[in-house]
């Protein structure tokens, strides 16, 4: 009897269910790379949830999840199969990243931004039994993998810049160069935001992330930087031994667009090869400085609106688009190609209206062939490199006054995610075309 | 020639790809890309150069600085096509350290960097460190996937390093054993963990001569096997043996004779059943010393030890009784193995298993012109290297055999097939698990 009992136990023990396997590739990629994600060794027609988790530099947790059903061979392939629900649905190969949101119980108004670019964003991807929407922490997953998402490719170098009176961070691709370069300008949130420059450098450009929003104190008074600050930054790039001086572009978002357009038209020092303008406007006093842009905006502060959750909508502060030519950059004088990127649900700047007005001005002036506009329905203000989570609103501190608010950026998650993916691809393509490939008369004469 | 590079254990190594051409190119910037930029050691890379003028002679060069501070390099000569592109996966290298369309040639054909002189043509062969490249990228090659955990093992006298894949498990397990060079070699176990196996790299011949006494019987290996088997994340009935050279012989002995442990399957690379390890290691080494007269030397004075076990004995007492093996067995053999008579051993093992009726368990991968050290794919091949004899501490130059290209092909092919073999036997699908018969 004892041996019979032992035999049963042995048989039962060897009939162990095999573990499902998660196959994610590549396990280490750049932040803008797609990955493939397959689950295998499941039972057939099994309900599962795929879950992604990030623990941010700020200590917050972000997650996304999708509900899937395995096929007759026990496979789920995120590239082909439809998510039936979760934080995203449909066939979305990268939905587990761009649909992430803070986990329940998190602080409000969060934005996921990587400060430390030398380390990757680490994402834990797990598969759970059944269709779950909460309580992931309390459940044991069927399988997990870890993937690293990097802003910096191997060999990219990071250099602090304090020369010429400017503050910024320079990123250089590996190799002797020379390389084309970018002046990388963020918006009103201020600070020194490095990750986009790190990523651009990983794509072969020298990129200078410039800190410019913090008012400077000199001679007892505090004011915004003047135009010479941006000219100094451009010169730092132009004179860098590893930069090809006549292949420099400006990439600006929000206020950064104001700077890019204003400088490109009015500065004699700044002669960019091309411009990328995201979520911005040409509305500003002609030949004005940053202070003047703020001045115009502040004049219309009564146009501030609030949504049903009391979040600040600033898009009307520059509306209506003025007809007075002294109040907007004369884009008819632009001599270089411009890529305008606008989100149609931008609640922060009147980007769509500005783009439309710019087009009309350039058509009248005869240089509209230089303008390409990418307009994305359902996208908001913060059109960033792809696969970073969309947030419709977040905490914001006004650099000038240190006032804290919750600002409405706009956009709906899925269309905004798609806009980021599509626009980034086109930005890289545009930059490659104009900075890496085109040889115009100017550069040929230097040979 | 120096001691073989100690390939990085759990981290990565960087390869720097240069692209050079003598003529002054103006107006365009060559765009060099390597995908993935960070990959596992066994992953293929795509190397593409764009934005060149058409029909330009270029040299693609790779450089690696090992942990021992040695420099290794490979290079290929290409001509850009009409679109100004070079695609390494498709285009033929016209010369260099490799020829023909070889997607991974810039890795597996690496050699130690010789003293350099300045090259004078678009197609360079030396002096790379003195020339400025036109473009450079860096790629990282990792043994360790993100989330893999490394654990130092010192338990019951067993010395090793355990690698765990990320996740809740349970996982199949592997006991991983290297050869007579001794020490603790971790990278294969690390890579196995990156592929979903709990794997323990076992140290059984330390460089300290005082430590050979603990492996006199196979108890040491059985204890090691049980450490893997009893780990909470391991499926107890799904633990395999993986061995190279002497490690492969250990695996065969355990599979045939151990009453204590039962591997689910075995992968034996460049090993032989003629080492009766279960009859005490010291006996194996004494026999090797006795057979010392069989040492041959090649034309460069390098030591050839392949004849030691020849002729393959007919006496059953002098070799592992292959008829006793009950689990699937994969043998991997290089036909130009100059260190051990593995081809003859494999043939004899097949005959023994045929006679015993368990040949259906056997899979043989036999590679023409591959040598003894069949290692991770895309890692450089070296036909000979410095070796320290365990017993005497003597340093000799040992001939391993193999020719670079066929050896590289063997490494790529065997690894893919071993992983497949391990998955087939250790990771079955739920529907293939037999139902209990009561």
């Amino acid at each position: 009897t004892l041996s019979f009992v032992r035999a049963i136990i042995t048989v039962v023990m060897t009939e162990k269910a095999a573990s499902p396997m998660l196959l994610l590739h590549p396990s280490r990629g750049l932040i803008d790379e797609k990955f493939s994600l397959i689950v295998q060794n499941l039972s057939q027609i099994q309900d599962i949830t795929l879950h992604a988790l990030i623990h941010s530099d700020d200590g917050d947790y972000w997650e996304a999840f999708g509900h899937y059903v395995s096929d007759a061979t026990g496979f789920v392939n995120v590239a082909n199969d439809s998510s039936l629900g979760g934080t995203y649905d449909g066939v979305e190969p990268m939905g587990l990243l761009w649909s992430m949101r803070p986990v329940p119980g998190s602080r409000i108004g969060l934005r996921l931004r990587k400060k430390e670019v030398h380390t990757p964003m680490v994402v834990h991807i797990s598969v759970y039994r059944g269709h779950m929407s909460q309580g992931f922490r309390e459940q044991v997953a069927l399988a997990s993998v870890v993937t690293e998402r990097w802003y910096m490719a191997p060999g990219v170098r990071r250099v602090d810049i304090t020369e010429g009176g400017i503050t910024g961070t320079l990123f250089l691709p590996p190799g002797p160069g020379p390389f084309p370069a970018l002046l990388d300008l963020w918006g009103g949130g201020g600070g020194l935001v490095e990750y986009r420059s790190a990523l651009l450098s990983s794509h072969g450009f020298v990129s200078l992330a410039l800190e410019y929003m913090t008012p400077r104190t000199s001679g007892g008074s505090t004011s915004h930087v003047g135009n010479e600050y941006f000219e100094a930054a451009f010169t730092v790039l132009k004179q860098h031994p590893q930069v090809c001086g006549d292949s420099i572009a400006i990439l600006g978002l929000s206020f950064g667009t104001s700077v890019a357009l204003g400088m490109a038209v009015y500065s004699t020092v700044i002669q960019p090869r091309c411009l990328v303008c995201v979520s911005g406007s040409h509305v500003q006093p002609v030949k004005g400085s940053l202070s003047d842009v703020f001045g115009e905006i502040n004049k219309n502060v009564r146009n501030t609106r609030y949504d049903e959750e009391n979040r600040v909508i600033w898009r009307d502060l520059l509306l209506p688009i003025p007809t007075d030519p002294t109040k907007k950059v004369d884009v008819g004088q632009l001599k270089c190609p411009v890529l305008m990127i606008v989100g149609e649900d931008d609640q922060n700047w009147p980007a769509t209206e500005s783009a439309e007005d710019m087009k009309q001005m350039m058509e009248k002036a005869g240089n509209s062939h230089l303008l390409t506009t990418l307009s994305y329905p359902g996208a908001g203000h913060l059109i960033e490199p792809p696969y970073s989570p969309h947030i419709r609103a977040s905490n914001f501190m006004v650099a000038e006054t240190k006032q804290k608010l919750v600002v409405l950026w706009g956009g709906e998650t899925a269309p905004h995610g798609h806009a980021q993916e599509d626009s980034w691809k086109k930005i890289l393509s545009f930059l490659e075309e104009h900075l890496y490939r085109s040889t115009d008369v100017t550069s040929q004469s230097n040979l | 020639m120096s001691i073989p590079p100690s390939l990085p254990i759990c981290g990565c190594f960087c390869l720097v790809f240069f692209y050079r051409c003598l003529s002054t190119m103006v107006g365009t910037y060559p765009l060099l890309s390597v995908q993935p930029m960070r990959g596992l050691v066994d992953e293929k890379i795509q190397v593409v150069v764009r934005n060149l003028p058409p029909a330009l002679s270029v040299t693609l060069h790779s450089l690696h600085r090992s942990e021992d501070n040695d420099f290794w390099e490979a290079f290929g000569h290409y001509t850009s096509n009409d679109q100004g592109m070079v695609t390494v996966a498709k285009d033929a290298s016209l010369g260099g350290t490799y020829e023909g369309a070889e997607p991974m040639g810039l890795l597996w054909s690496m050699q130690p960097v010789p003293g350099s002189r300045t090259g004078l043509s678009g197609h360079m062969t030396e002096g790379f460190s003195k020339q400025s490249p036109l473009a450079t990228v860096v790629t990282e090659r990792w043994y360790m996937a993100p989330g893999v955990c490394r654990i130092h093992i010192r338990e019951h006298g067993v010395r090793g390093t355990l690698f765990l894949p990320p996740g809740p498990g349970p996982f199949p397990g592997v006991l991983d054993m290297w050869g007579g060079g001794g020490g603790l070699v971790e990278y294969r176990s690390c890579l196995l963990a990156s592929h979903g196996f709990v794997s323990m790299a076992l140290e059984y011949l330390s460089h300290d001569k005082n430590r050979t006494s603990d492996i006199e019987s196979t108890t040491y290996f059985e204890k090691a096997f049980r450490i893997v088997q009893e780990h909470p994340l391991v499926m107890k009935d799904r633990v395999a043996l993986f061995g190279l050279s002497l490690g492969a012989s250990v695996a065969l002995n355990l599979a045939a004779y151990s009453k204590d442990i039962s591997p689910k399957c075995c992968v034996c690379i460049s090993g032989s059943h003629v080492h009766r390890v279960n009859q005490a290691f010291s006996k194996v080494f004494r026999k090797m010393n006795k057979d010392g007269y069989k040492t041959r030397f090649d034309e460069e004075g390098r030591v050839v030890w392949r004849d030691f076990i020849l002729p393959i004995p007919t006496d059953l007492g002098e070799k592992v009784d292959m008829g006793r093996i009950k689990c699937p067995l994969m043998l991997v053999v290089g036909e130009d193995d100059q260190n051990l008579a593995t081809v003859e051993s494999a043939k004899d093992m097949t005959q023994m298993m045929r006679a015993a009726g368990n040949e259906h368990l056997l899979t043989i991968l036999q590679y023409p012109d591959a040598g003894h050290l069949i290692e991770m794919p895309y890692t450089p091949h070296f036909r000979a290297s410095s070796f320290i004899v365990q017993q005497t501490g003597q340093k000799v130059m040992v001939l391993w055999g193999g020719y670079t290209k066929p050896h590289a092909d063997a490494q790529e092919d065997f690894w893919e097939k071993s992983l497949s073999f391990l998955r087939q036997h250790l990771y079955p699908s739920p529907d293939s698990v037999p139902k209990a018969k009561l």
Side-chain angles (χ1 to χ4, degrees), chain A residues 53-66:
Chain A
L53 185 72
I54 283 179
H55 190 191
S56 73
D57 283 353
D58 298 325
D60 303 298
Y61 287 94
W62 292 67
E63 68 176 2
F65 53 92

Side-chain angles (χ1 to χ4, degrees), chain A residues 379-422:
Chain A
H381 182 71
L382 298 174
I383 301 179
E384 297 221 23
Y387 316 131
S388 43
H390 162 254
I391 33 135
R392 193 162 161 75
S394 73
N395 297 332
F396 186 84
M397 187 170 74
V398 182
E400 279 185 304
T401 61
K402 303 275 180 281
Q403 190 191 0
K404 281 188 189 159
L405 312 152
V406 179
V407 168
L408 189 72
W409 307 112
E412 302 299 331
T413 296
H416 193 93
H418 293 135
Q420 292 192 153
E421 186 176 358
D422 188 71

Side-chain angles (χ1 to χ4, degrees), chain A residues 11 14-15 18-19 21 25 27-28 41-42 141 144 146 150 152-155 174-176 178 202 244 247 432 435-437 439 447, chain B residues 26-27 29 31 37-38 43 50-51 132-133 136 138 140 142 144-147 166-168 170 237 427-430 433-434 436 438:
Chain A
V11 165
T14 51
E15 197 207 336
S19 299
M21 284 175 73
H25 189 269
S27 54
R28 293 178 173 91
N41 255 17
L42 296 165
S144 286
V146 179
W150 290 80
M152 274 173 85
S202 302
C244 189
S247 282
E432 202 180 293
L435 297 182
Y436 260 105
R437 274 201 279 267
T439 45
L447 302 178
Chain B
V26 289
Y29 304 89
L31 290 166
M37 292 190 199
R38 293 179 171 93
E43 270 187 73
R50 288 180 295 136
N51 236 25
S132 185
T136 304
V138 180
E140 292 173 2
W142 288 78
M144 201 178 220
D237 56 339
Y427 257 122
S429 66
V433 173
L438 295 175

